[in-house]
Amino acid sequence: TEKVVAVILAGGSSTRNHQNTPNQFVNANNKPIILYTMETYQRHPAIGAIYVVSLSGWEGIISAYAKQYNITKLAGIIPAGTTGALSVKASVEWLSSHLSFHDIVIFQESTRPMVTEEMISKTIQCTREHGSAITYEPMDEYLQFLENDTYGVEYIDRSKILSIQSPEGYIYRKLYKTIIDATKIQHAFDETCCAMIMYNLGKKLVFCEGNRYNIKIVREEDLIMFESLLVYNN
């Protein structure tokens, strides 16, 4: 059977949370955001190893977190690139000596601490069936308009709008080939996520429905919402 590994992307340096600390390392109820994400992957029985793509200077802190919270599946800390896509590239290259082509890689933003074991299972299953899986949230806002130079504005059917989240799952062979192809054509790797690399290189995208509570911690209000959900769920 194939191995399934998680790559937790923690290379971002955004501090839009008013705390002067990168979002993934901010505390929520006295625990760093990234730990909630790591713990979910630690608990999931199908995940064989966890790799963290780390912002420079935070590697020792991630190791210390793993020891303190018993994240025994942590198998490596990978230096982050300057963009999300370069971090994906770095992790795919790093994993080349650890994985076979038929293994599965799950990419997870460290700043989505509400990821659930059910969502991970769904992503793995969809990846097994289709070669890849990108978690999305269906648009639930009432009405959507797009500004258009010709018509002023145009209406968009909300049922066709997909808001991309993580996790994203890929068969390693597909990932490896995409990165090799992109490197050959001197691709800029300036995208924010793996899904956008795939899209820009003309690869088929497969979507897997997530849920609206899979929030991303970017601003102070996101942190407040997450802490409220923690209290509510407990």
Side-chain angles (χ1 to χ4, degrees), residues 40-42 93 95 149 153 208:
T40 306
Y41 281 88
Q42 172 71 27
E93 290 167 351
L95 290 170
D149 292 339
V153 292
C208 179

Side-chain angles (χ1 to χ4, degrees), residues 34-92:
I34 190 173
L35 248 302
Y36 292 96
T37 311
M38 290 173 77
E39 283 179 331
T40 306
Y41 281 88
Q42 172 71 27
R43 284 194 305 269
H44 197 290
I47 300 296
I50 297 169
Y51 297 87
V52 177
V53 179
S54 174
L55 184 64
S56 178
W58 291 83
E59 299 87 349
I61 291 167
I62 290 168
S63 293
Y65 287 164
K67 283 179 184 158
Q68 183 182 352
Y69 289 90
N70 204 29
I71 309 294
T72 57
K73 292 180 183 178
L74 182 63
I77 297 176
I78 303 166
T82 51
T83 66
L86 284 170
S87 288
V88 167
K89 181 176 185 282
S91 58
V92 171

Side-chain angles (χ1 to χ4, degrees), residues 15-31:
T15 56
R16 284 178 280 175
N17 49 55
H18 297 166
Q19 295 194 32
N20 213 24
T21 301
N23 293 319
Q24 61 272 34
F25 300 112
V26 167
N27 278 346
N29 286 7
N30 299 315
K31 190 192 292 185

Side-chain angles (χ1 to χ4, degrees), residues 51-134:
Y51 297 87
V52 177
V53 179
S54 174
L55 184 64
S56 178
W58 291 83
E59 299 87 349
I61 291 167
I62 290 168
S63 293
Y65 287 164
K67 283 179 184 158
Q68 183 182 352
Y69 289 90
N70 204 29
I71 309 294
T72 57
K73 292 180 183 178
L74 182 63
I77 297 176
I78 303 166
T82 51
T83 66
L86 284 170
S87 288
V88 167
K89 181 176 185 282
S91 58
V92 171
E93 290 167 351
W94 179 286
L95 290 170
S96 63
S97 57
H98 297 81
L99 298 183
S100 301
F101 273 175
H102 66 277
D103 292 335
I104 289 175
V105 179
I106 306 292
F107 286 111
Q108 172 67 49
E109 294 162 291
S110 56
T111 48
R112 288 197 189 269
M114 294 291 287
V115 63
T116 64
E117 289 178 68
E118 183 187 5
M119 287 168 66
I120 296 167
S121 295
K122 201 171 174 183
T123 303
I124 294 168
Q125 189 55 39
C126 189
T127 304
R128 279 196 185 117
E129 290 172 10
H130 304 287
S132 66
I134 300 158

